[in-house]
Amino acid sequence: MTITLDSLEPALSVRQVLTLERVLAGEPEVVAGAGHLDRLVRWVHVAEAADVGVMLSGGEMVLTTGVLLAGDEDKQAEYVRSLHRAEAAAVVLGLGRAFPAAPDVMRRAAERCGLPMVVLHRPFPFADLTEEVQSRLVRRKFAAVSLSEAVRTELTALITAGAPLQRLLDEVARHSACPVVVTNLAHRVLGTAGERPAVDDVLRDWERIARQAGGTEGDGWIRAELGGRGERWGRIVLCGYRGDTATGRLLADRAAEALVLHRMLGGGATCSWEEQSAQGLLTDLVSGVVPARQLLPRARAAGLPVNRRTFVPLVVRDGDPARLERLLRLLGLPGLVAELADGATAVLLSVPRDQDAGALAAHFATRLRTESGPDHTVVAAAEPRAAWDDVPTGLREAQHVSDAVADSSAVLDLPPVVRLKDVHLRGLVRLLRDDPHVQSFAERELDGLLRESDEDLLSVLRTYLATGRNKSRTAQLHHVSRPALYRRLEAIQVRLGVDLDDFEQAASVHIALLAHDAQQQ
């Protein structure tokens, strides 16, 4: 059975020790330090010596009858002060022959020090309390060690199998039962795992949490540094971990070890964690599966400015993501870069509203085409979006424009930034290619040429219409004589039942052919 944090006994506090059945038999009463009962008990120690403090290391619950303190108020006060200096968790005094009631000197000293002081009104075998608490603490420590080894074994197996970063984080989140966040040193979120609503709550307030995660641990925020060879490059944070801090640190350390190993071995990925993070975010935006509003915390945590900004969705054809990242940094343009499918890379620019978003996008595209050559790079764009909710539509529009010019032979004639208006009818058809009515129209118009044996005629038709029905140019491109071309055009008209010299009929066939080609890609 897999050990999870739910199966671990919680750390015992003084308050919890006092509720144990064996302890209740001694009728415990808190006479001082009632505001500090949540101190954790690391161990239970029976001691009568007046100088017991020198034998402690902190976190002990000290049990005593006070037999060596009776009749000496100075010793009583010093006894309490020494426990306080040793950072004891509490002192438990068994009432009896030495002290029939709680001594005022010890009680006042404990109250001043903030040390919980408990008296037992009924005779009580200290051995029973010691056995109960020690056995619980030992079981808890054993469970923590078992958890540590289970996590190490499972994460190592995942790494060996080539699992991606997200799979490792999901496993850590399952064990910790809280949101898990991985960041770089600039607090930019590289990965998250856990219940989606809880993760979104964390990311929504990430600026404050990032400062907290970089400082003193508390309230369940537990971190472990990521790095190697003397250099740190990130951290993993358990956000709102409900177990005891020591076990949480142990779990975070095991996770950190696995993540460092995963990164050293390449993690089965060809891009960095930063690129994977941007890719996941932009892919979710393009797909529309997750509402844009729900992705806003992820974008903010990934370092993208989102308040009072204008967003420019771009898709770069045949652009290297690393080179695009470098160009953005060089130009001082905030944005996210992620590789999509079929050689396309999405770029989402975030521009202050008082700046000309179109001009900045054109400047970026011009620099990019200058560096890579106009024959190899197409920068497609949607119109700037003022609202975050409109970004997914913009990215899909930019992707449509990119697709529309992907195989165009007129790339050299395109502007630095290509928009939907620049691809004219081809762009419109691509936007509508998945519409059932368009699909039916294309099949109906081209029905006579859709057999595999007609591919040559379909190719001639495609060239003839693309050249503006220029017969000489079409014959030249297909390396046939004019008479041979006329025979093929005649065959096409017979198969389709149209007159290609009629403008309206030729336009209808041309639109159907564009739709057919768009559906094949």
Side-chain angles (χ1 to χ4, degrees), residues 113-194:
C113 294
L115 176 70
M117 180 175 176
V118 182
V119 295
L120 301 175
H121 288 279
R122 297 188 61 180
F124 183 82
F126 283 169
D128 286 357
L129 190 154
T130 302
E131 179 184 4
E132 176 75 12
V133 175
Q134 309 295 52
S135 63
R136 286 175 178 263
L137 291 175
V138 168
R139 287 200 301 272
R140 176 183 154 273
K141 289 188 176 183
F142 176 76
V145 172
S146 298
L147 171 65
S148 173
E149 289 307 309
V151 170
R152 175 186 278 127
T153 300
E154 291 173 16
L155 294 182
T156 301
L158 289 173
I159 294 171
T160 303
L165 171 65
Q166 188 60 53
R167 183 68 184 85
L168 270 66
L169 296 182
D170 289 340
E171 191 68 15
V172 175
R174 185 175 68 83
H175 281 290
S176 63
C178 70
V180 175
V181 176
V182 174
T183 75
N184 60 15
L185 295 181
H187 304 303
R188 177 176 172 180
V189 173
L190 307 180
T192 63

Side-chain angles (χ1 to χ4, degrees), residues 1-10 143 147 172-178 195 240-244 247 251:
M1 180 180 67
T2 300
I3 298 175
T4 66
L5 294 180
D6 292 336
S7 66
L8 288 177
E9 290 191 40
L147 171 65
V172 175
R174 185 175 68 83
H175 281 290
S176 63
C178 70
E195 295 292 334
Y241 170 72
R242 294 191 300 271
D244 68 285
T247 304
L251 178 59

Side-chain angles (χ1 to χ4, degrees), residues 260-503:
V260 170
L261 179 60
H262 181 273
R263 180 159 170 146
M264 289 173 59
L265 296 178
T270 58
C271 56
S272 69
W273 289 359
E274 287 83 356
E275 292 168 337
Q276 291 180 53
S277 174
Q279 186 172 38
L281 174 59
L282 291 184
T283 299
D284 285 345
L285 280 169
V286 170
S287 70
V289 174
V290 182
R293 182 58 50 182
Q294 293 183 21
L295 296 173
L296 186 58
R298 283 174 59 187
R300 184 183 291 112
L304 185 73
V306 295
N307 295 328
R308 295 183 295 280
R309 311 290 287 194
T310 298
F311 304 99
V312 184
L314 306 174
V315 171
V316 180
R317 179 65 58 176
D318 297 325
D320 176 51
R323 183 159 55 86
L324 296 176
E325 285 269 17
R326 288 194 296 271
L327 183 57
L328 287 180
R329 289 194 296 269
L330 179 64
L331 299 178
L333 290 174
L336 295 178
V337 177
E339 188 172 5
L340 303 177
D342 301 325
T345 301
V347 179
L348 180 60
L349 301 182
S350 175
V351 180
R353 288 185 178 173
D354 60 354
Q355 297 185 17
D356 188 335
L360 290 175
H363 181 53
F364 169 77
T366 301
R367 285 290 300 269
L368 181 61
R369 293 185 71 179
T370 299
E371 292 181 7
S372 59
D375 293 328
H376 301 94
T377 302
V378 172
V379 179
E383 293 301 319
R385 261 53 179 180
W388 174 259
D389 287 345
D390 294 334
V391 169
T393 303
L395 283 168
R396 288 192 289 272
E397 180 181 316
Q399 194 171 27
H400 282 306
V401 175
S402 174
D403 290 342
V405 298
D407 301 318
S408 175
S409 60
V411 173
L412 290 174
D413 298 328
L414 294 173
V417 178
V418 186
R419 291 188 167 84
L420 198 56
K421 64 182 180 62
D422 299 311
V423 292
H424 306 295
L425 180 61
R426 186 182 299 272
L428 175 62
V429 170
R430 279 187 171 269
L431 281 174
L432 301 175
R433 64 180 177 179
D434 294 327
D435 188 297
H437 297 293
V438 174
Q439 294 172 356
S440 297
F441 169 76
E443 291 180 7
R444 184 171 61 251
E445 289 290 302
L446 301 175
D447 181 58
L449 290 178
L450 293 182
R451 293 187 297 274
E452 186 174 343
S453 59
D454 296 327
E455 184 58 39
D456 180 61
L457 291 179
L458 201 62
S459 177
V460 169
L461 175 63
R462 185 180 292 111
T463 304
Y464 179 62
L465 296 174
T467 58
R469 295 184 294 173
N470 187 318
K471 294 183 176 66
S472 297
R473 181 62 176 156
T474 302
Q476 180 183 9
L477 290 173
H478 282 270
H479 308 289
V480 297
S481 64
R482 297 259 311 216
L485 175 66
Y486 293 158
R487 288 193 295 272
R488 294 184 186 184
L489 290 177
E490 182 63 30
I492 290 172
Q493 293 182 101
V494 171
R495 295 279 188 88
L496 298 182
V498 299
D499 179 4
L500 292 179
D501 289 329
D502 181 87
F503 175 78

